[in-house]
Amino acid sequence: KRNFSGLEEGIFGRFDLSYDAKKIVLAYKKPNKGYRIYEVGVDGSGLRQLTLDGADEAEMLKQYGHGYDDMDPCYLPSGKIMFVSTRTKRAVLCHNAFTSTALHVMDADGKNLHCISGNTVNEFAPCTMDDGRVIYTRWEYVDKGCGDVQSLWSMRPDGSGSCHVYKNNVALPATLIDARSIP
């Protein structure tokens, strides 16, 4: 177990190792805050927060009872970082609170953060594949049963070429998540 100064009391989410194996990007949730993206050296040095509170975070906390969540980061070959976030304020169709996560990209320093997905329901766990595309899980909601709704999708790192990969109406396995390339 390793604690990083400033990250002692919260919850660690998914992480990814940089291509040069010198840095780790991770999601971390401080108490009473949303998940944010951090980066740290593999030796524990150089911890820095990459995503910050939104300008309207206090308003979101007041209106919805929670702020933004930035989660599931992964490094892209370009040096940018992809992750999922609730910053788009999208809601699942059966609930009127902004809880849907959509794919976002930012520069390695946290700047130029923007959404690259027009999907209105949850996307999870992006991962760069060996061919440079990103594979992720997407919650397909319309005309589906209650549990068999998470299928695999892929896209280019810039958000173009979104394509279904597997499991649109396959009942078993019930859920897919954390897909990875197998070298």
Side-chain angles (χ1 to χ4, degrees):
K1 180 180 174 183
R2 168 90 187 207
N3 285 331
F4 303 109
S5 179
L7 303 183
E8 293 90 7
E9 301 281 327
I11 301 167
F12 285 89
R14 203 180 110 190
F15 64 91
D16 194 34
L17 182 65
S18 65
Y19 288 93
D20 62 5
K22 293 182 179 180
K23 298 177 285 186
I24 298 168
V25 66
L26 59 109
Y28 180 77
K29 183 182 182 327
K30 291 183 178 180
N32 303 312
K33 299 288 271 179
Y35 276 94
R36 296 294 179 262
I37 306 296
Y38 291 80
E39 186 177 59
V40 66
V42 293
D43 64 356
S45 67
L47 177 68
R48 63 187 181 134
Q49 185 174 344
L50 299 177
T51 60
L52 306 172
D53 291 359
D56 59 351
E57 193 93 16
E59 179 185 321
M60 296 296 102
L61 284 165
K62 187 183 221 180
Q63 184 174 352
Y64 296 105
H66 61 87
Y68 299 119
D69 286 307
D70 305 322
M71 302 171 290
D72 297 347
C74 73
Y75 287 105
L76 298 174
S78 66
K80 294 184 178 199
I81 297 169
M82 184 179 283
F83 61 101
V84 298
S85 180
T86 59
R87 289 176 186 265
T88 58
K89 300 180 192 173
R90 295 175 186 162
V92 293
L93 302 172
C94 63
H95 193 271
N96 193 26
F98 73 98
T99 56
S100 290
T101 52
L103 291 165
H104 286 65
V105 170
M106 66 181 165
D107 293 341
D109 61 3
K111 292 185 172 40
N112 298 313
L113 185 154
H114 62 281
C115 182
I116 61 167
S117 172
N119 194 17
T120 58
V121 293
N122 287 300
E123 295 167 327
F124 306 97
C127 180
T128 306
M129 295 191 296
D130 295 337
D131 66 4
R133 290 178 301 147
V134 174
I135 194 161
Y136 61 99
T137 306
R138 179 169 155 168
W139 184 25
E140 290 298 315
Y141 190 81
V142 179
D143 297 327
K144 303 284 172 121
C146 183
D148 305 322
V149 295
Q150 291 189 122
S151 57
L152 291 177
W153 286 72
S154 69
M155 70 167 51
R156 293 182 196 100
D158 65 0
S160 66
S162 181
C163 180
H164 183 253
V165 175
Y166 176 70
K167 196 195 168 331
N168 195 32
N169 281 314
V170 175
L172 293 173
T175 297
L176 298 173
I177 196 146
D178 295 324
R180 302 275 185 199
S181 280
I182 299 173

